[in-house]
Amino acid sequence: MLTDKIQSLLGEVADLQAADAKALEELRIKYLSKKGVINGLMGEFRDVAPESKREIGMKLNELKTALQDKLNELREGLATKEDDHSDLDLTRTPYPIAMGTRHPLSIVKNEIIDIFSRLGFSIADGPEVEDDWHVFSSLNFPEDHPARDMQDTFFVEQHPDIVLRTHTSSVQSRVMENSKPPIRVLCPGRVYRNEAISARAHCFFHQVEGLYIDKDVSFTDLKQVLLTFAREMFGPDTKIRLRPSYFPFTEPSAEMDISCNICGGKGCAFCKQTGWVEILGCGMVDPNVLEANGIDSKVYKGYAFGMGVERITNLKYQVKDLRLFSENDVRFLDEFTAAN
Ligand code: PHE
């Protein structure tokens, strides 16, 4: 009787199936738990005649092992099924991921840096809260120069000698102070001027200034570097023109215009029909500045230039209102996704 039962159970076990982990657990409970089939057979085994015990005991063990092997086999089958990704559609379009974009001022600043890096300039950094010496005095600003005036400069309260830098020329002063020529640096950074905020002016903006000091530096070198920059930035057909100007720290000084890149120089509202737009100030470093910063002006000469990143960005992307740059409106920022 018991032998027949075991025999038919062996057949049953061979055909067991489990579609998932839950079905497998049900099988385990049915056969191997305390109240399961195997324990039931053990109960019957007690009543088997002693002379048959050995043979039937072996059969019973065989059934138990077969069961355990079968359940293990089913468990492994389920595990590999979980790893099987053959039903994944890898060609399906993914869900769109909202990506941030680089700020237009950063895009343009990086482009400027990139161009001058290729010309051998390295980057220098300095503090935004500066002392009067590095912002003005070391750069040959006379004591009564209007740029020191309350209307232009933010002073730190109770510290008339500490200001928010009005240009990154202060970094150039620090570089001259701390290193020996030849010097070829680019100083990008935020600067502050006490102006009412409007579409055309802001109390802070961004500059990239450059300084080159060596033994035989001429105005021609400056002109060539700026022409190269203008062509790289605004296209190979861009023309430049230099107009005499004045800065305390350069002599001679000039302002540089480029042929209006919006109308191609024909004249439009942006260039006020002149065909030219101003983009930067430049000049040969005044010997007084070299001397004030510990550089022998009889041996060394230098040129410097400085531009506003907002101005260049306006020209490249025609942003009409300066305030857009600092408002963090994602609708504005998203427009630069393609430029990233
Ligand atoms: N520092 C000047 C400014 O802020 C720009 C400049 C730099 C001009 C170097 C000439 C030479 O306007």
Side-chain angles (χ1 to χ4, degrees):
M1 270 292 282
L2 188 53
T3 330
D4 294 343
K5 257 192 199 168
I6 294 175
Q7 204 53 47
S8 86
L9 274 168
L10 273 170
E12 192 179 311
V13 165
D15 292 337
L16 287 182
Q17 301 281 358
D20 51 29
K22 191 168 166 254
L24 181 65
E25 177 61 7
E26 276 164 10
L27 289 181
R28 191 193 65 79
I29 291 168
K30 178 175 171 196
Y31 291 100
L32 293 174
S33 67
K34 251 192 187 148
K35 291 185 180 155
V37 176
I38 296 290
N39 265 353
L41 294 181
M42 287 300 193
E44 288 182 42
F45 180 69
R46 256 177 258 128
D47 304 331
V48 167
E51 63 275 16
S52 309
K53 266 212 155 101
R54 189 180 133 80
E55 192 197 335
I56 295 183
M58 274 165 65
K59 274 270 167 208
L60 207 58
N61 272 338
E62 188 190 331
L63 173 65
K64 214 171 155 183
T65 315
L67 244 174
Q68 268 156 354
D69 287 352
K70 185 69 187 178
L71 293 188
N72 283 343
E73 181 194 313
L74 290 176
R75 185 172 300 117
E76 272 163 33
L78 284 179
T80 47
K81 206 170 158 195
E82 272 170 25
D83 289 343
D84 176 12
H85 298 305
S86 58
D87 58 343
L88 277 185
D89 180 1
L90 296 178
T91 64
R92 217 179 91 176
T93 320
Y95 295 112
I97 298 169
M99 297 272 275
T101 59
R102 227 176 272 282
H103 193 281
L105 292 178
S106 296
I107 296 172
V108 170
K109 180 192 73 180
N110 289 342
E111 216 175 320
I112 299 171
I113 290 175
D114 205 49
I115 295 168
F116 283 104
S117 303
R118 278 184 263 133
L119 295 170
F121 285 79
S122 52
I123 310 289
D125 204 2
E128 293 182 12
V129 182
E130 256 294 9
D131 50 38
D132 176 278
W133 171 258
H134 290 101
V135 179
F136 298 127
S137 297
S138 70
L139 296 167
N140 201 35
F141 277 79
E143 213 42 66
D144 54 357
H145 194 280
R148 296 177 178 228
D149 203 295
M150 291 296 278
Q151 280 151 27
D152 261 319
T153 309
F154 285 113
F155 291 86
V156 174
E157 255 178 339
Q158 262 101 57
H159 297 279
D161 276 353
I162 308 291
V163 302
L164 297 187
R165 67 181 180 196
T166 56
H167 53 184
T168 57
S169 306
S170 53
V171 182
Q172 306 185 353
S173 167
R174 283 184 178 273
V175 170
M176 285 188 268
E177 197 174 75
N178 295 322
S179 47
K180 287 195 165 50
I183 290 170
R184 209 181 319 192
V185 287
L186 210 58
C187 311
R190 182 174 282 185
V191 300
Y192 302 83
R193 292 187 195 174
N194 193 355
E195 303 212 24
I197 297 169
S198 71
R200 299 177 59 86
H202 212 294
C203 60
F204 65 77
F205 60 98
H206 301 80
Q207 283 190 325
V208 176
E209 297 211 354
L211 174 72
Y212 182 32
I213 298 177
D214 207 342
K215 280 185 177 141
D216 293 306
V217 182
S218 70
F219 202 89
T220 318
D221 298 329
L222 171 62
K223 236 174 124 174
Q224 188 56 43
V225 159
L226 294 180
L227 176 64
T228 304
F229 165 71
R231 286 182 174 165
E232 293 273 323
M233 194 78 199
F234 296 105
D237 298 329
T238 310
K239 295 183 189 61
I240 63 165
R241 90 177 171 186
L242 291 157
R243 287 176 289 101
S245 185
Y246 172 77
F247 298 103
F249 32 88
T250 45
E251 182 58 37
S253 304
E255 267 162 324
M256 186 175 98
D257 299 339
I258 57 162
S259 47
C260 178
N261 75 317
I262 290 161
C263 62
K266 288 190 207 70
C268 66
F270 192 85
C271 61
K272 302 200 185 77
Q273 310 304 329
T274 63
W276 296 95
V277 283
E278 188 205 314
I279 64 160
L280 56 81
C282 60
M284 301 304 291
V285 181
D286 193 304
N288 286 343
V289 172
L290 295 175
E291 294 293 336
N293 290 287
I295 293 172
D296 188 346
S297 66
K298 284 183 212 72
V299 182
Y300 293 105
K301 285 182 168 197
Y303 64 67
F305 56 85
M307 67 189 91
V309 181
E310 279 80 352
R311 177 95 186 130
I312 308 282
T313 311
N314 281 349
L315 272 168
K316 280 216 90 151
Y317 298 111
Q318 280 112 63
V319 180
K320 300 239 162 54
D321 190 331
L322 270 181
R323 289 169 291 195
L324 286 167
F325 289 130
S326 48
E327 278 169 355
N328 282 338
D329 185 333
V330 286
R331 290 168 302 179
F332 169 68
L333 298 174
D334 275 349
E335 288 181 37
F336 298 89
T337 314
N340 266 264

